[in-house]
Amino acid sequence: MASRGAIRHLADLGYSAAEIHDRLDFPTPVAQIEEELRAYQAEKDASDTSGVTYEYVKETDAYGRTSLRRVAIKHKP
């Protein structure tokens, strides 16, 4: 969908499907906007890390190559 990024951005700003429809430059049916909003919300819910944060650790191997590794930091409740 050509307006997928715009729909997601406007949804993050708090716009409803009808308001998003009025603001889009590319003609998109409200039904498609609502479908994209549901899919976007499902993706956001699935990616919820429930309070786990990450930090990046810089590592250098024996040959001098540098890489970054993401490490989860667990918080005590």
Side-chain angles (χ1 to χ4, degrees):
M1 177 180 333
S3 53
R4 182 179 202 186
I7 291 171
R8 290 175 176 225
H9 173 71
L10 292 171
D12 286 339
L13 294 177
Y15 286 89
S16 68
E19 293 170 329
I20 292 172
H21 178 266
D22 294 340
R23 293 187 59 100
L24 291 177
D25 294 331
F26 191 78
T28 307
V30 176
Q32 267 188 320
I33 294 171
E34 290 171 344
E35 182 179 328
E36 180 60 34
L37 290 175
R38 280 191 295 276
Y40 183 46
Q41 186 62 43
E43 287 177 21
K44 285 173 48 176
D45 291 343
S47 68
D48 183 21
T49 59
S50 64
V52 176
T53 58
Y54 298 95
E55 75 176 20
Y56 290 89
V57 178
K58 183 177 177 182
E59 296 179 335
T60 305
D61 65 7
Y63 299 102
R65 294 180 292 206
T66 303
S67 62
L68 295 174
R69 183 171 49 97
R70 187 173 86 161
V71 179
I73 302 171
K74 297 179 183 177
H75 297 282
K76 293 182 181 179

